[in-house]
């Protein structure tokens, strides 16, 4: 049986990003084809152990508590420490590296990329599969989610600069690149990367689990927001849109699922503006409870202001929810139906207006719901996604 090493030194097991969910789901399905080795933090290892994945060996790369990841200094300390420990873990587990057939870096962050590069350097026969899920916004770019404060702008500039260097390394050394949207795939190809060695997958949904969750007799929420509480995902935009909406629909209820750097800011705004009777914060929710909440809602709001895909949208669609979202360019590839696009991007007044229109337009609602369910059944099943990645890995 072939051996594959997953390297996830950045992910700390708190919450669930789209990139994290992709490699979680791939590992669940790769256990039948590979002997799996996972190099990562204790927090992530604890999460993975709950999944009962077959044929997996864990290597803990960091036994420290996480610093404050909402501060520039905390992020810097976190990254440097895990980069060093990631490299050390490669040297300390030479036998695993020497016997491996593949190494899979689960993000484009340095603590995942550099250890994978070292593994390839130690074992020249190893094939490096590199995830690259998101091009950082350029500092001068319109709708830059990091432009909300000096600290965030500084973090955004550092992120963009470091990723630019990482991009060159991945283009030069990776054997297969996995992006999560067609736009990023085209950028790699434009810049000279082999077309046959780069794929785009948009994540997926586990339809068996979702379909097993019964729908409630009536909806508890008029809409649901589910994403990381990060400026890029627009949680504050969703709150302000809802504040606008209840001027017309005073009893409208919004459920918000997720956590992250804007969590306290969002909670404070809701309290300050007296919106607690209309907006309920659930924090991070996963599994069956997540799908119960989704199925208890009528509409899925995706208020991201800078986005190329967004796997949470597919989960909402799989629960039968039409989606109201800003009309991102990448959505024409991954969500060609079931989604009501809003322009201009970032305008919460337009977002509120579109949500309100859909709440009262039963005909349009039914059409979008039908389209959403058809799309995920046809294209978003995780088993199909994993088989596609396995096929492409065997070709490199």
């Amino acid at each position: 049986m072939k051996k594959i090493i997953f390297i996830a030194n950045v992910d700390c097991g708190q919450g669930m990003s789209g990139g994290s969910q992709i490699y979680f789901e791939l590992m669940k399905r790769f256990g039948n084809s590979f002997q799996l080795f996972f190099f990562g933090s204790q927090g992530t290892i604890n999460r993975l152990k709950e999944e009962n994945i077959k044929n997996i060996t864990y290597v803990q790369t960091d036994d420290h508590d996480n610093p404050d990841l909402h501060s520039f200094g905390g992020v810097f300390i976190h990254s440097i420490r895990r980069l060093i420990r990631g490299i050390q873990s490669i040297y300390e587990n030479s036998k695993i590296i020497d016997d491996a057939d593949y190494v899979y870096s689960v993000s484009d962050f340095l603590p995942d990329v550099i250890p994978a590069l070292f593994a390839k350097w130690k074992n020249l026969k190893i094939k490096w599969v590199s995830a690259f899920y998101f091009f950082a916004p350029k500092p001068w770019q319109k709708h830059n989610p990091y432009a909300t404060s000096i600290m965030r702008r500084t973090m955004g500039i550092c992120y963009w600069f470091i990723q630019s260097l990482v991009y060159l390394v991945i283009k030069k050394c990776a054997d297969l690149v996995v992006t999560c949207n067609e736009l990023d795939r085209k950028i790699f190809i434009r810049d000279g990367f082999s077309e046959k060695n780069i794929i785009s997958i948009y994540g997926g949904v586990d339809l068996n689990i979702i379909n097993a969750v019964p729908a409630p007799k009536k909806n508890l929420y008029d809409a649901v927001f589910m994403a990381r509480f990060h400026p890029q995902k627009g949680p504050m935009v969703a709150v302000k849109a809802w504040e606008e909406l209840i001027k017309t629909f005073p009893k409208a209820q919004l459920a918000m699922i997720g956590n992250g750097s804007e969590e306290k800011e969002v909670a404070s705004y809701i309290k300050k503006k007296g919106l607690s009777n209309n907006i309920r914060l659930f924090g991070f929710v996963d599994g069956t409870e997540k799908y119960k909440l989704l199925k208890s809602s009528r509409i899925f709001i995706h208020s991201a202001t800078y986005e190329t895909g967004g796997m949470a949208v597919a989960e909402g669609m799989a629960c039968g929810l039409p989606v109201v979202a800003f009309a991102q360019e990448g959505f024409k590839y991954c969500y060609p139906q079931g989604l009501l696009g809003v322009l201009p991007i970032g305008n919460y007044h337009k977002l509120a207006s579109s949500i309100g229109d859909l709440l009262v337009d039963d005909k349009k609602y039914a059409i979008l719901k039908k389209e959403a369910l058809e799309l995920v059944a046809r294209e978003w099943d995780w088993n199909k996604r994993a088989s596609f990645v396995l096929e492409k890995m065997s070709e490199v």
Side-chain angles (χ1 to χ4, degrees), residues 10 29 73 76 81 186 191 239 246 292 364 378 395:
V10 174
R29 290 157 178 84
F76 180 78
R81 190 174 66 199
K186 288 181 176 181
D191 291 347
V239 169
I246 60 176
K292 284 181 180 178
K364 190 172 187 178
R378 185 175 68 243
E395 295 175 358

Side-chain angles (χ1 to χ4, degrees), residues 149-323:
S149 68
I150 293 176
M151 186 191 79
R152 284 177 176 162
R153 187 180 290 275
T154 303
M155 292 175 69
I157 292 171
C158 291
Y159 174 30
W160 169 79
F161 177 74
I162 292 171
Q163 190 194 61
S164 299
L165 301 178
V166 168
Y167 178 56
L168 297 176
V169 172
I170 291 175
K171 276 202 310 170
K172 179 71 175 176
C173 302
D175 297 283
L176 179 69
V177 174
V178 181
T179 68
C180 71
N181 65 84
E182 189 64 18
L183 295 177
D184 290 353
R185 178 176 175 272
K186 288 181 176 181
I187 292 173
F188 269 86
I189 296 170
R190 180 201 68 193
D191 291 347
F193 195 79
S194 171
E195 185 173 355
K196 68 183 180 65
N197 290 347
I198 182 166
I199 59 176
S200 59
I201 64 169
Y202 295 99
V205 293
D206 194 323
L207 293 174
N208 291 329
I209 294 176
I210 293 173
N211 292 337
V213 176
K217 293 181 179 179
K218 72 172 191 173
N219 296 119
L220 300 177
Y221 304 97
D222 297 280
V224 59
F225 167 96
M226 183 174 73
R228 285 183 296 119
F229 277 43
H230 182 279
Q232 173 208 334
K233 299 296 184 180
M236 189 60 75
V237 177
V239 169
K240 290 182 178 180
W242 209 255
E243 183 181 17
E244 188 75 14
L245 180 82
I246 60 176
K247 294 176 182 177
T248 306
F249 301 87
K251 294 183 179 180
Q253 297 292 311
L254 172 66
M256 299 190 73
I257 303 171
N259 58 8
S261 59
E262 281 204 331
E263 197 171 356
K264 290 181 180 178
E265 185 179 345
V266 167
S268 176
Y269 187 90
I270 290 172
K271 184 177 180 181
K272 179 181 177 181
K273 295 291 186 174
L275 302 173
S276 299
N277 290 332
N278 296 94
I279 302 175
R280 184 173 175 187
L281 301 177
F282 285 89
F284 174 72
V285 181
D286 200 12
T288 301
E289 291 305 312
K290 173 176 67 178
Y291 298 125
K292 284 181 180 178
L293 275 172
L294 291 175
K295 289 189 175 186
S296 297
S297 306
R298 289 201 67 209
I299 295 171
F300 190 95
I301 299 175
H302 194 62
S303 51
T305 56
Y306 184 81
E307 184 73 279
T308 52
M311 197 192 314
V313 172
E315 292 186 299
M317 287 185 170
C319 293
L321 307 188
V323 178

Side-chain angles (χ1 to χ4, degrees), residues 6 57 64 73 87-88 129 136 149 254 274 299 326 363 378 396:
F6 282 81
T57 300
H64 298 281
I87 294 171
Q88 287 176 338
V129 182
S149 68
L254 172 66
I299 295 171
F326 291 123
K363 184 177 179 180
R378 185 175 68 243
V396 298

Side-chain angles (χ1 to χ4, degrees), residues 44-72:
T44 311
I45 289 173
N46 292 340
R47 289 288 306 280
L48 282 168
K49 285 182 176 179
E50 297 172 2
E51 304 291 342
N52 296 317
I53 298 172
K54 298 178 182 178
N55 298 325
I56 186 167
T57 300
Y58 296 103
V59 177
Q60 183 179 329
T61 59
D62 195 343
D63 54 2
H64 298 281
D65 293 332
N66 290 308
D68 178 12
L69 299 182
H70 300 160
S71 69
F72 183 83

